[in-house]
Amino acid sequence: MAAEALLSTEIVNRAVDGGSPTFSVRVRRRMPDFLSSVNLKYVKLGYHYLINHGAYILTAPIAIALVFGVGIGNITWGDLKSSYHETSNIVFISVLMVLLLYVYVDLSPRSTYLVDFACFRPPKELKTTKAEFINLARKSGNFNEEAIEFMGRVLKSSGIGDESYMPRTAFLPANKITLREGREEAATVMFGAVDDLIASTGVRTRDIKILVVNCGILNTTPSLSAMLINHYKLRQDIHSFNLGGMGCAAGVISVDLAKDLLDAHPGSYALVVSTEVVTASWYPGNDPDMLIPNCFFRMGAAAVLLSNRRLDRWRSKYELKQVVRTHKGTDDRSFKSVYLREDSRGRQGLSVSRDLVEIAGHALKANIATLGPLVLPVMEQVMFFKMLLFGGKKEKACKKSGAAYMPDYKLAFEHVCILASSKAVLEELQRQLELTEEYMEASKRTLERFGNTSSSSVWYELAYVEAKGKRVKRGDRVWQLAFGSGFKCNSMVWRALRTVKTPRRSPWLED
């Protein structure tokens, strides 16, 4: 097998600590077969979530009906008829009914709505072809010729095109990148995304009560969330959070945190900003395990406006249906698979384990096993359980005879947005999940056009689907899947509240 082929397969599951791509070129192991050794505890966990979620919906109306029945149980039709002209009785019954309805609505769980989102497109002068990338890296003097050739081979098989964006400060000679360059890049991408979001939604900054920002590597003082608060003069009592070190999976984590905060503060807006700063994660050395992120990671940021105000349902695009998070951090191999460290000369970078592809595959398998009961049609779940009943030798015999059954996730979702990590990993996931080219189009095109933008990648993919023009129809379900250091795999499911027209602002619409 050629060295290039090995490189491309490793560059696969790239959700990493600093948000940078993560598959080491030295990794030899393939992603595990999703049909083998499915752990029943993850399937059981999925049903546990399903039961808990539906408990209130099923029991609350019954409880209210009982209360209402007790309250007016002694009132017969004859009583009502005889007292028809007695205004006090009519008012009493009406007020009681309105009160019970209000209590039910007020106590029922509020939905989380995605009002709108925006992805930043850097200026044209920052477009970087693969040839220009190698030329700038060579001119910087930070890499020896062996490292230059290595990055060239990785880029060739990466799936990234010639229009992704790189900050020129990353190529400063003699590793002169400072905190100032990192802050400037963060301000450029974050402010650009938030400006577009405010323009498209018309939300007033003083109405934003919750702010969640995630960036893997760059963690400044004051924080990036404080930078946004200062720039947009957000309210003084805002609930702000700054998440770091969670890699490409942090975008889903941020939405999950914002949802919990919205549940605690009904009737509020939450702003989620996901980004990664290339100048902060750039590695100016020659260690192959630490060069991979340089080749895949690119500039980008996404800003998302969430709300649980009931009146916002009419203008929102999507409703959040499920969030499933899987963390494999208790396992030492998973925990150390993506590690920020220094090389022998003290230069900092992300080190990628040779077992990363295998580790990511196991995390993904556990995640989709948990997600299945929440989203799959009943018959698909029955067939899946039938497959799970085959254990040990029976399972092997089943697979050899072609009877092994992979649930058809195409029946659960109309659109799939998988982290744009690498060409090889996307193709492997497509094969394992039996997805068509149409389902993979958004992920592959995002990788080609923008590269791996870390935690914001799944939003560029959703923006691509919307930019195709009315491809997202009312009732469509969208699956966003991301993985990152730790090691973790996270899924987020949305349901379209209306047919989404081609947006006026989009990173996919040229000026």
Side-chain angles (χ1 to χ4, degrees):
M1 184 178 293
E4 289 80 357
L6 292 176
L7 286 174
S8 64
T9 49
E10 310 248 81
I11 302 170
V12 197
N13 281 340
R14 251 207 159 129
V16 177
D17 210 327
S20 34
T22 318
F23 285 85
S24 171
V25 178
R26 297 179 180 177
V27 177
R28 298 290 190 265
R29 301 187 181 184
R30 292 171 58 88
M31 185 175 291
D33 187 348
F34 290 174
L35 289 176
S36 64
S37 304
V38 177
N39 197 321
L40 280 173
K41 71 178 181 181
Y42 297 114
V43 181
K44 183 178 179 181
L45 182 61
Y47 282 108
H48 177 71
Y49 291 157
L50 181 64
I51 293 171
N52 285 349
H53 179 75
Y56 181 88
I57 297 176
L58 294 174
T59 59
I62 298 174
I64 288 180
L66 290 174
V67 173
F68 184 75
V70 170
I72 64 173
N74 295 325
I75 301 178
T76 64
W77 174 252
D79 295 331
L80 291 175
K81 188 174 181 180
S82 62
S83 59
Y84 179 79
H85 298 290
E86 298 181 18
T87 306
S88 60
N89 288 342
I90 298 176
V91 170
F92 170 75
I93 295 174
S94 300
V95 171
L96 181 61
M97 293 178 66
V98 171
L99 179 61
L100 289 173
L101 180 63
Y102 172 79
V103 170
Y104 171 66
V105 172
D106 187 61
L107 294 181
S108 62
R110 288 175 176 258
S111 295
T112 299
Y113 304 115
L114 195 166
V115 180
D116 205 350
F117 68 97
C119 299
F120 176 67
R121 187 178 67 195
K124 294 181 179 179
E125 56 267 24
L126 295 182
K127 279 186 179 181
T128 308
T129 65
K130 292 189 288 288
E132 187 178 9
F133 180 101
I134 294 300
N135 186 44
L136 290 171
R138 178 177 281 111
K139 287 183 177 180
S140 71
N142 295 325
F143 310 97
N144 60 30
E145 196 58 33
E146 183 179 355
I148 294 294
E149 293 178 359
F150 176 81
M151 288 192 289
R153 294 195 301 270
V154 173
L155 285 171
K156 185 177 179 179
S157 59
S158 65
I160 298 177
D162 286 328
E163 293 188 299
S164 60
Y165 302 91
M166 282 290 295
R168 293 301 182 265
T169 52
F171 300 99
L172 287 175
N175 189 25
K176 293 182 179 179
I177 300 174
T178 65
L179 192 57
R180 177 182 178 182
E181 282 77 30
R183 281 198 176 104
E184 289 177 351
E185 182 188 339
T188 298
V189 297
M190 290 196 308
F191 297 165
V194 175
D195 285 347
D196 284 347
L197 181 66
I198 291 175
S200 64
T201 61
V203 65
R204 299 176 300 182
T205 55
R206 66 174 178 271
D207 290 336
I208 298 173
K209 191 168 186 178
I210 297 163
L211 172 64
V212 182
V213 180
N214 69 265
C215 181
I217 300 297
L218 181 64
N219 288 288
T220 67
T221 301
S223 65
L224 298 182
S225 59
M227 185 185 299
L228 285 165
I229 292 170
N230 175 263
H231 182 79
Y232 291 100
K233 309 305 177 188
L234 301 180
R235 53 196 293 170
Q236 294 183 7
D237 62 343
I238 192 168
H239 298 269
S240 66
F241 298 83
N242 202 89
L243 307 181
M246 292 188 167
C248 304
V252 178
I253 296 171
S254 296
V255 170
D256 193 25
L257 173 60
K259 175 190 178 301
D260 290 343
L261 292 168
L262 285 171
D263 289 342
H265 301 279
S268 304
Y269 285 115
L271 173 62
V272 175
V273 179
S274 297
T275 188
E276 191 54 74
V277 177
V278 176
T279 52
S281 62
W282 184 259
Y283 169 63
N286 301 307
D287 188 327
D289 288 345
M290 301 166 75
L291 285 171
I292 297 291
N294 288 1
C295 301
F296 283 86
F297 198 45
R298 295 294 185 271
M299 292 180 70
V304 181
L305 183 65
L306 302 175
S307 170
N308 65 355
R309 295 160 53 134
R310 302 189 197 279
L311 292 179
D312 277 329
R313 183 184 180 90
W314 68 270
R315 73 184 188 115
S316 298
K317 288 183 174 181
Y318 307 95
E319 178 184 8
L320 183 62
K321 301 304 293 184
Q322 285 94 21
V323 176
V324 174
R325 293 166 56 183
T326 302
H327 207 302
K328 293 285 189 175
T330 54
D331 174 64
D332 288 342
R333 280 204 316 153
S334 298
F335 175 71
K336 297 178 181 178
S337 61
V338 179
Y339 214 81
L340 184 65
R341 66 175 178 84
E342 296 175 340
D343 65 13
S344 59
R345 296 182 58 183
R347 295 169 298 194
Q348 183 174 280
L350 285 171
S351 177
V352 177
S353 167
R354 300 183 182 187
D355 299 328
L356 185 60
V357 176
E358 179 191 2
I359 290 168
H362 285 301
L364 179 59
K365 183 169 66 173
N367 186 265
I368 64 175
T370 305
L371 179 67
L374 301 174
V375 298
L376 288 170
V378 175
M379 287 308 299
E380 284 298 302
Q381 296 186 43
V382 171
M383 295 294 292
F384 187 48
F385 264 117
K386 185 177 179 181
M387 185 273 290
L388 289 178
L389 292 177
F390 292 94
K393 294 181 179 180
K394 291 184 179 180
E395 182 184 76
K396 293 180 181 179
C398 176
K399 291 183 66 177
K400 288 181 180 178
S401 64
Y405 187 78
M406 166 59 73
D408 189 357
Y409 282 88
K410 297 187 294 295
L411 298 176
F413 309 108
E414 284 71 36
H415 309 281
V416 176
C417 301
I418 301 174
L419 178 74
S421 50
S422 76
K423 179 181 178 181
V425 94
L426 291 177
E427 290 177 346
E428 177 67 10
L429 289 175
Q430 179 179 4
R431 183 186 70 81
Q432 294 263 17
L433 297 175
E434 300 177 356
L435 299 175
T436 64
E437 281 297 323
E438 183 178 1
Y439 277 93
M440 298 299 298
E441 182 181 349
S443 299
K444 291 182 177 180
R445 286 289 294 116
T446 298
L447 176 65
E448 179 185 359
R449 177 65 177 83
F450 292 98
N452 184 350
T453 60
S454 186
S455 56
S456 63
S457 176
V458 292
W459 295 109
Y460 282 86
E461 293 164 17
L462 185 53
Y464 175 82
V465 176
E466 292 186 352
K468 300 296 288 187
K470 294 187 178 181
R471 286 184 59 179
V472 180
K473 298 180 174 57
R474 179 186 176 90
D476 280 4
R477 295 152 299 179
V478 181
W479 180 21
Q480 291 179 307
L481 174 66
F483 23 75
S485 61
F487 195 86
K488 47 190 170 286
C489 178
N490 298 331
S491 289
M492 190 159 51
V493 180
W494 303 90
R495 184 174 66 86
L497 297 174
R498 56 185 169 87
T499 297
V500 180
K501 299 180 180 179
T502 303
R504 295 180 179 179
R505 298 170 180 268
S506 172
W508 295 96
L509 302 178
E510 298 295 335
D511 297 329

